[in-house]
Amino acid sequence: MAQPPPAGLQSCHAVDKLNRAGPEAPGPFSTGDAMQALEILFRWMHILAGVVWIGHLYFFNFVNAPFQGKLDGPTKKTVNPELLPRALYWFRWGAAWTWVTGVLLLLIVYYHQRYAVEAEGFTAGSWVMLAATFLAPFVYDALYKSPLGKNVRGAFVVAYALVAAMVFLYAHFAGFSYRGTLIHVGAMFGTIMAFNVWYRIWPAQQTIIRAVKEGTAADADLVKMAGLRSRHNTYMSVPLLYAMVGQHTTFFAGGNWGIGEETRWIVFLVVIGLGWHIVFHLYKRSAKVQGF
């Protein structure tokens, strides 16, 4: 006898059913039609902006960073003030539009259509974790401004423990569905990344580029901080991409490979760790790529 799908899958099936059935009250200007049209447009904009943002992020980290080590002072003084402001323009505005359209999609898909939670509506725990999602940049920033932030391994362990706590609380305190858990982790990473771009990387780079143009030495601490935050964004980007893709799949939602609804959050933590490991090896490879 066929067994009913896990609760996390039921939410996914409900979405598919709604998409096939269409709005309940058909009409040329019905609310359901308008929301579906907006969802498509925002998804399109979100992907375009994300490609611009993450593409430039990878350019800075895997191409430009090793390349800068090959340039002498006079060449940097000529090239960087012309090249980097142009790249940083697309980088920061790609980040802004990715974040804005991502929040709009959260509102339409997960809050308006109520696919974020397993229950009929938000609980107190849901609201608490929603607030925690968008306050996470301040916790992250405080961690890496503290003395612990200078200890790479120590800060990494604390950061991973905090991520693990958030994933667990999304699933077992907020009552988020499988898809809701994934997308809110993605929203948390994306919000931290956008914060880094606009409030840490871009202000620092303006000062650094002006110093290069004037032929003076840039503040070493500022250079280190900007580079570190950019690396953090690169590490967060890979689990973020998985969260965006994984919310459309159900294989790891429970029922396969012995994964249950109570343990699927652990699988996601493994995926996050795997993503960070992949980025580590991409950095190693980028340092070995040579020009002609």
Side-chain angles (χ1 to χ4, degrees):
M1 180 179 296
Q3 296 294 320
L9 302 188
Q10 291 174 5
S11 299
C12 299
H13 294 165
V15 177
D16 295 337
K17 182 178 179 182
L18 178 65
N19 289 337
R20 288 195 301 268
E24 293 181 2
F29 301 106
S30 67
T31 302
D33 283 347
M35 297 303 286
Q36 288 191 40
L38 285 174
E39 179 183 340
I40 294 169
L41 290 174
F42 289 151
R43 284 188 187 276
W44 183 29
M45 294 169 63
H46 187 62
I47 292 172
L48 173 60
V51 168
V52 172
W53 178 18
I54 303 303
H56 280 82
L57 175 67
Y58 292 166
F59 163 75
F60 284 131
N61 282 269
F62 299 141
V63 178
N64 187 62
F67 173 68
Q68 289 293 320
K70 303 292 184 180
L71 302 181
D72 56 29
T75 304
K76 284 185 179 181
K77 188 175 180 180
T78 301
V79 172
N80 286 357
E82 294 297 327
L83 171 66
L84 296 184
R86 289 175 168 85
L88 286 164
Y89 172 87
W90 296 105
F91 176 66
R92 69 181 186 274
W93 284 110
W97 281 104
T98 302
W99 188 84
V100 169
T101 53
V103 171
L104 291 171
L105 284 169
L106 272 178
L107 291 170
I108 291 175
V109 177
Y110 284 93
Y111 305 152
H112 177 73
Q113 299 180 27
R114 300 183 180 180
Y115 295 139
V117 293
E118 299 282 13
E120 289 297 320
F122 270 38
T123 64
S126 305
W127 288 111
V128 168
M129 293 310 297
L130 179 59
T133 299
F134 293 101
L135 292 174
F138 304 104
V139 177
Y140 157 85
D141 195 52
L143 170 63
Y144 280 96
K145 281 184 174 180
S146 72
L148 180 60
K150 297 178 181 179
N151 183 333
V152 176
R153 290 185 179 180
F156 168 79
V157 170
V158 172
Y160 190 74
L162 289 172
V163 170
M166 289 292 288
V167 175
F168 176 83
L169 291 171
Y170 281 139
H172 296 287
F173 176 62
F176 285 167
S177 64
Y178 173 74
R179 296 177 68 201
T181 297
L182 262 62
I183 204 62
H184 280 87
V185 172
M188 177 181 69
F189 283 151
T191 301
I192 294 171
M193 291 167 64
F195 172 88
N196 273 340
V197 169
W198 278 94
Y199 295 100
R200 295 294 176 259
I201 298 171
W202 170 234
Q205 285 293 344
Q206 292 179 76
T207 302
I208 294 167
I209 294 169
R210 289 192 184 102
V212 171
K213 186 174 183 179
E214 294 166 3
T216 59
D219 186 317
D221 289 337
L222 198 62
V223 173
K224 183 178 179 180
M225 184 276 294
L228 183 65
R229 296 304 178 94
S230 187
R231 288 176 73 92
H232 289 173
N233 276 13
T234 305
Y235 274 94
M236 285 185 281
S237 70
V238 175
L240 169 58
L241 291 172
Y242 178 85
M244 292 175 63
V245 174
Q247 60 155 329
H248 296 291
T249 67
T250 60
F251 187 85
F252 294 120
N256 297 299
W257 290 358
I259 301 169
E261 292 183 48
E262 296 298 317
T263 58
R264 61 193 182 192
W265 68 277
I266 299 175
V267 176
F268 188 32
L269 281 180
V270 173
V271 170
I272 292 172
L274 176 62
W276 290 354
H277 184 69
I278 290 170
V279 174
F280 173 77
H281 284 283
L282 290 176
Y283 273 114
K284 289 181 65 175
R285 182 60 184 170
S286 69
K288 297 177 181 179
V289 177
Q290 300 296 322
F292 294 148

